[in-house]
Amino acid sequence: MKTKRLNVRLTDRRYYKLVLLSAELDRTISSMIDEWIDSLPEPQKENITVG
């Protein structure tokens, strides 16, 4: 699997919320974001160009 990098700007409050929750759940932030993305509905439009 080829991986991509995603940079996101967050407020300190949101960042630390993620850090604390990931520690509480004993998971990485990446795994929580992966699960959230997987829970999103599939796009309806088929002809999306990825640049």
Side-chain angles (χ1 to χ4, degrees):
M1 172 175 71
K2 187 174 181 181
T3 59
K4 299 281 186 183
R5 178 174 289 272
L6 176 66
N7 294 318
V8 179
R9 283 187 258 175
L10 297 172
T11 62
D12 286 343
R13 182 185 64 82
R14 287 181 174 154
Y15 174 75
Y16 289 116
K17 185 176 183 177
L18 278 174
V19 169
L20 293 172
L21 184 60
S22 69
E24 184 177 307
L25 298 174
D26 194 31
R27 297 179 52 195
T28 65
I29 292 174
S30 292
S31 71
M32 293 190 322
I33 292 172
D34 285 343
E35 186 174 297
W36 172 72
I37 292 170
D38 291 342
S39 74
L40 295 172
E42 292 296 321
Q44 298 299 313
K45 192 172 185 179
E46 300 258 341
N47 295 329
I48 298 174
T49 303
V50 177

